């Protein structure tokens, strides 16, 4: 039986078909079957399927029934097809192969493609692919590949393809003991009869766990190259005279969902000891890897400890270890393509002379010819200078200096965008850059923290140091992704799946291993004598200190007694001073409360001042028009008098009448507009100046408030949009409601649109629970930093102190909404994504806002009105702007 099996099991998640992605079970009718396929299933309602006796956790027989991952997979397929699978056991694998070839069973699973099956079977898409691992005793030396085991004794089941391959390729390297099954092979290793055996990691770990072996371990990889380049995979083998059954199986496999595959994996492999990542690839991705062959990789040839290419063409470093791990997981050979520099590696990738870059930062220019995975490594950016330089707290303080950076690195464009005045000099590599810093041609060199630290450490560069780091931001960090050629998107998908499956703990272990490297210096005898002299000097100093300490100890004891006496004297008046300080603090607190009340009143008066400014501005247009027309009529009347004295013609009279009529119409409309504005502003002013309760139209009051904000909006880059459903009537307090809207809009104008040429603020209504309405005030501005979100409703909290912000606007909003208006307020925001305030207000404001049962009931309804994505501030939880 073939067991060319994986260090990691790469279970194939076959693409969900349009007709069959609905669930775990189903009938053949849910698949897009042809008439021939449906006729075949009707003629063969029972399909005979192989079942091994002893290959857990995949296919075995225990407690009177077939069990294992592949058995459950076959049952899942039977439900999809709508037939019954009858499992047939064989004494050994060779017997099951014989049963299929003689057509006494119809399916053989899971199977590879040995020669004896090629003539009598067809095969499904792969369901497993990967590489074998080795099982040895715990005291066995470390095994990296099969070559480390040459000269030892191997135990392997008789008749298995892996056993035949060992004989064929390494018959002169091992003495091979053939066993009845893998369990006996493992027992032979434990007893010392053999040095190793090989199989799936899950199979080996399952036997270790179930049999309680404590003297065995799984290690190393039997790679694809060591197996002669053979593609390792397991399939479902079908009778060759039944190609229609193979077609049905392929459709059923393609209809399985990712969740179904993962549930099977979790059921059978979670306790098998496999702690490695699993990759789920589609049939198209598997086919791509098989046809593609070795993957060509371009790297940065001189960027240790991240990566480099040695003179012998060996890929080393953090990324090299990650790539080796991914190659094992994908069972694919990765070949580094030599280049002279990172810039040349980028050119090779653009020209398709390599298939991917091992670690690159995504930029818009590179996305034109590359696809990028999510970042799998991230490093901080630091600055290396000569050791005598001061530490750099802020790079902007030294922008007048010249910094070096490796040519072609994506960080160049980022730095020039973030610091427009920065002076950068591009160099070939880090070696050249640090050299120019040492001889004074560069002030500093910018690169990732591990690379600079590694060079200073391993090359003993004693006259240089890391003098500072760039700000901790996403843009200024070295976020490294795998960059694949854009004309082959399947390659990017495959690497993304591999990155997703690689556990973070393994990535961190690789990084830690490389960053713990130390260096050795040449022995320095001058330094030795300095150390000896220093030790003698230190010993003398210590002796003197001991003698001096004895004298000082006596003095300290005397001083301690004096201090105790002073403390006793000071304690006498301590309580009196505490009482006096407490009284002073109470008076100060009272003064602060009065000051806060005055500031709140000032904030309200400031809003009323904005109202007056809005009235003046809006009335200016119609009244100005009226004044202009009145002046025009006066001039026309004087001219008319002069014409009458000289002799009035009929045409002159008609012109005068026309001018008077047109001017009178415009004058009348202007004065009517002014009257309407005065009426609206009068009501808004009354509302703002008092907390009078009345029934009002939400749409009408909101638009009146928006009108008063127009002068302020014209001085800002933002526009205000109002979308309030008509017909909503409130029995509430329009003045406080208007002040809430004004404060929210002014808060957005003050904070949201810095460095922006345009923006939008929206006031809109949304339905809520019966008896409530949600008023949403949102903007598309800069958003609120996460650190401020818990503080925006606190009194006096502002990020614009002295620049137009008092820190009371949102505090007043919170108090009015949760107090007088009887509602609740919530906020959502993220930097660069705008801010949303949701006000959940009752259509009828409560008569008593707090302190009684009705208020408590109102709070419970508010929580329902806001919904599960908002938060109830009436409970005391605070939010930020």
């Amino acid at each position: 039986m073939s067991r060319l099996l994986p260090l990691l099991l790469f279970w194939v998640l076959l693409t969900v078909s349009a007709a069959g992605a609905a669930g775990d079970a189903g009938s053949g009718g849910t698949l897009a079957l042809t008439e021939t396929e449906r006729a075949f299933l009707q003629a063969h309602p029972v399909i005979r399927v192989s079942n091994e006796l002893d290959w857990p956790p995949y296919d075995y027989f225990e407690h009177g029934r077939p069990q294992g991952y592949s058995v459950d997979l076959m049952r899942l397929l039977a439900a999809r097809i709508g037939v019954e699978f009858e499992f047939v056991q064989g004494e050994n694998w060779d017997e099951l192969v014989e049963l299929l070839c003689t057509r006494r069973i119809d399916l053989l699973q899971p199977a590879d493609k040995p020669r004896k099956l090629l003539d009598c079977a067809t095969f499904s898409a792969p369901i497993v692919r990967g590489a074998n691992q080795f099982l040895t005793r715990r005291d066995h030396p470390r095994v990296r590949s099969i070559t480390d085991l040459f000269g030892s004794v191997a135990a392997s089941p008789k008749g298995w393809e892996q056993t035949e391959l060992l004989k064929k390729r390494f018959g002169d390297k091992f003495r091979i003991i053939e066993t009845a099954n893998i369990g006996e092979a493992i027992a032979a290793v434990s007893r010392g009869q053999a040095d190793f055996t090989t199989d799936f990691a899950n199979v080996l770990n399952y036997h270790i766990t179930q049999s309680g072996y404590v003297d065995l371990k799984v290690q190393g990889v039997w790679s694809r190259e060591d197996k002669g380049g053979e593609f390792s995979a397991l399939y479902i083998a079908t009778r060759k005279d039944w190609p229609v059954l193979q077609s049905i199986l392929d459709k059923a496999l393609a209809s399985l969902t990712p969740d179904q595959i993962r549930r099977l994996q979790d059921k059978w492999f979670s306790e098998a000891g496999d702690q490695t990542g699993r990759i789920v690839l589609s049939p198209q991705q598997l086919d791509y890897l098989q046809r593609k062959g070795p993957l060509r990789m371009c790297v940065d040839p001189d960027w240790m400890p991240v990566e480099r290419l040695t003179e012998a063409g060996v890929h080393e470093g953090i990324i090299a270890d990650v790539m080796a791990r991914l190659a094992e997981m994908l069972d694919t050979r990765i070949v580094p393509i030599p280049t002279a520099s990172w810039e040349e590696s980028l050119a090779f990738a653009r020209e398709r002379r390599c298939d991917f870059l091992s670690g690159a930062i995504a930029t818009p220019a590179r996305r034109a010819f590359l696809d990028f995975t999510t970042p799998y490594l991230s490093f901080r950016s630091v600055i290396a200078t000569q050791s005598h330089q001061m530490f750099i707290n802020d790079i902007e303080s030294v922008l007048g200096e010249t910094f070096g950076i490796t040519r072609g690195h994506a960080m160049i464009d980022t730095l020039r965008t973030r610091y427009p005045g920065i002076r950068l000099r591009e160099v070939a590599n880090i070696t050249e850059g640090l050299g120019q810093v040492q001889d004074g041609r560069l002030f500093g060199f910018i690169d990732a923290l591990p690379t600079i630290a590694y060079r200073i450490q391993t090359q003993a560069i004693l006259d240089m140091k890391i003098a500072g780091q760039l700000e901790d931001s996403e843009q200024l960090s070295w976020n490294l992704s795998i960059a694949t050629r854009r004309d082959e998107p399947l390659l990017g998908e495959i690497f993304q799946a591999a990155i997703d499956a690689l556990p973070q703990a393994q990535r961190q272990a690789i990084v830690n291993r490389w960053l713990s490297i130390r260096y050795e210096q040449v022995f320095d005898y001058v330094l030795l004598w300095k150390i000896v002299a220093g030790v003698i000097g230190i010993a003398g100093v210590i002796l003197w200190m001991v003698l001096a300490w004895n004298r000082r100890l006596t003095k300290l004891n005397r001083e301690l007694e004096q201090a105790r006496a002073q403390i006793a004297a000071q304690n006498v008046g301590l309580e009196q001073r505490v009482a006096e300080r407490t009284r002073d603090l109470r008076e100060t607190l009272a003064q602060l409360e009065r000051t806060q009340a005055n500031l709140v009143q000032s904030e309200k008066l400031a809003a009323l001042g904005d109202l007056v400014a809005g009235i003046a501005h809006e009335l200016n247009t119609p009244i100005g028009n009226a004044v202009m027309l009145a002046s025009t009529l006066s001039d026309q009347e004087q001219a008319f008098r002069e014409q009458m004295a000289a002799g009035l013609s009929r045409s002159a009279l008609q012109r005068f009448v026309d001018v008077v009529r047109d001017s009178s119409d415009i004058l009348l409309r202007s004065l009517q507009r002014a009257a309407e504005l005065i009426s609206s502003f009068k009501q808004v002013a009354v509302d703002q100046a008092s907390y009078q309760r009345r029934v009002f139209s939400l749409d009408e009051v909101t638009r009146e408030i928006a009108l008063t904000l127009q002068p302020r909006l014209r001085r800002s880059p933002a526009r205000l949009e109002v979308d309030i459903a008509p017909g909503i009537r409130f029995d509430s307090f329009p003045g406080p409601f208007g002040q809430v809207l004004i404060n929210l809009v002014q808060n957005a104008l003050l904070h949201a649109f810095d460095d922006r040429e345009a923006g939008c603020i929206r006031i809109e209504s949304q339905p809520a629970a019966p008896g409530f309405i949600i008023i949403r005030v949102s903007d598309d501005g800069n958003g609120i930093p996460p650190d401020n979100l818990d503080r925006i409703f606190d009194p006096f909290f502002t990020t614009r102190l002295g620049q137009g912000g008092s820190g009371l606007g949102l505090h007043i909003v919170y108090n009015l909404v949760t107090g007088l208006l009887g509602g609740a307020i919530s906020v959502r925001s993220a930097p660069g994504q705008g801010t949303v305030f949701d006000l959940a207000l009752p259509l009828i404001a409560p008569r008593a806002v707090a302190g009684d049962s009705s208020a408590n009931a109102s709070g419970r309804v508010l929580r329902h009105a806001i919904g599960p994505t908002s938060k109830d501030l009436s409970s005391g939880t605070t939010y930020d702007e």
Side-chain angles (χ1 to χ4, degrees), residues 800-818:
R800 291 298 184 89
L801 189 62
Q803 305 176 40
S806 66
L808 288 174
L810 293 183
H811 178 62
I812 292 172
V813 167
Y814 174 74
N815 287 339
L816 289 176
V817 171
T818 62

Side-chain angles (χ1 to χ4, degrees), residues 13 54 120 210-211 275 287 364 393 399 465 689 703 754 776:
L13 174 59
D54 51 4
C120 60
Q210 295 298 315
S211 300
Q275 302 300 319
D287 182 64
N393 293 323
L399 286 184
K465 69 179 181 182
R703 294 190 184 278
D754 288 349
R776 174 166 292 171

Side-chain angles (χ1 to χ4, degrees), residues 186-342:
I186 293 173
V189 175
S190 178
R191 291 192 299 265
Q193 298 171 335
D195 297 306
F196 77 96
T197 188
T198 179
D199 204 330
F200 275 108
N202 278 333
V203 174
L204 300 174
N205 283 314
Y206 181 92
H207 281 276
I208 290 174
T209 301
Q210 295 298 315
S211 300
Y213 290 115
V214 295
D215 58 337
L216 302 178
K217 65 180 178 180
V218 178
Q219 59 174 326
V221 175
W222 188 1
S223 67
R224 182 175 173 181
E225 291 78 17
D226 290 336
K227 290 180 291 186
E230 295 187 19
F231 182 76
S232 301
L234 294 180
Y235 313 82
I236 300 173
T238 309
R239 289 172 49 171
K240 200 164 190 176
D241 60 328
W242 280 5
V244 64
L245 177 57
Q246 189 63 71
S247 173
I248 296 171
L249 282 173
D250 286 338
K251 291 181 179 180
L253 281 168
S255 73
L256 298 181
T257 67
D259 284 340
Q260 290 172 313
I261 299 296
R262 291 191 181 99
R263 282 197 292 270
L264 284 183
Q265 293 172 343
D266 291 339
K267 173 182 177 181
W268 289 104
F269 306 144
S270 60
E271 297 181 357
D274 184 10
Q275 302 300 319
T276 60
R278 294 191 296 256
I279 302 179
V280 179
L281 298 180
S282 68
Q284 294 86 353
Q285 293 166 344
L286 293 171
D287 182 64
Y288 170 87
L289 284 178
Q290 186 174 7
R291 289 184 292 101
K292 182 71 175 177
L295 300 176
R296 299 168 301 165
M297 171 181 65
C298 284
V299 307
D300 190 324
D302 184 21
W303 201 34
M304 286 296 283
V306 180
E307 65 175 346
R308 74 173 175 188
L309 279 181
T310 67
E311 294 182 357
V314 177
H315 190 203
E316 292 183 345
I318 296 172
I319 290 181
D321 285 359
V322 173
M323 289 298 111
R325 184 71 187 90
L326 297 183
E328 292 175 4
M329 295 168 67
L330 293 170
D331 190 26
T332 297
R333 186 183 176 197
I334 296 178
V335 179
I337 303 299
T339 57
S341 65
W342 173 244

